[in-house]
Amino acid sequence: MTSRPLAHLASPGTEIAVRVTPKASRNLVKIEADQIRVYVTCVPEDGKANKEVVKLLAKAIGTAKSNLILLRGATSRDKLFRVLG
């Protein structure tokens, strides 16, 4: 697998649905059964887990954190992000 496994999603306007698992044993972005799963070690309080998800997802697609915007799911495990130009 390449260092940017989700690089094809870096196009502006792309919407990315992810399922988040907080309090995991390690930080990881993984594709399971055609679904993007993000595992973070942070606890889901005060937006800590969301910040870590943005950081990991941005790194996986090869874009800046500021290019990802959370559209839906701020308090849910299922989140939808949009890549900005």
Side-chain angles (χ1 to χ4, degrees):
M1 190 173 273
T2 65
S3 62
R4 306 266 187 253
L6 303 173
H8 64 283
L9 298 174
S11 302
T14 301
E15 292 186 353
I16 305 168
V18 300
R19 177 114 177 145
V20 177
T21 302
K23 299 191 293 184
S25 61
R26 61 184 172 155
N27 291 329
L28 179 68
V29 177
K30 192 173 185 182
I31 300 173
E32 294 179 351
D34 296 332
Q35 184 180 33
I36 300 171
R37 302 285 308 250
V38 181
Y39 299 89
V40 293
T41 57
C42 295
V43 293
E45 62 184 30
D46 300 327
K48 292 177 187 175
N50 286 340
K51 289 178 185 176
E52 192 65 26
V53 169
V54 169
K55 179 180 167 184
L56 291 170
L57 191 57
K59 185 175 180 180
I61 66 174
T63 191
K65 294 183 293 186
S66 60
N67 285 342
L68 287 178
I69 185 167
L70 180 62
L71 296 176
R72 189 171 59 227
T75 60
S76 172
R77 291 181 60 179
D78 295 311
K79 301 183 184 302
L80 182 67
F81 291 93
R82 179 176 291 147
V83 179
L84 300 176

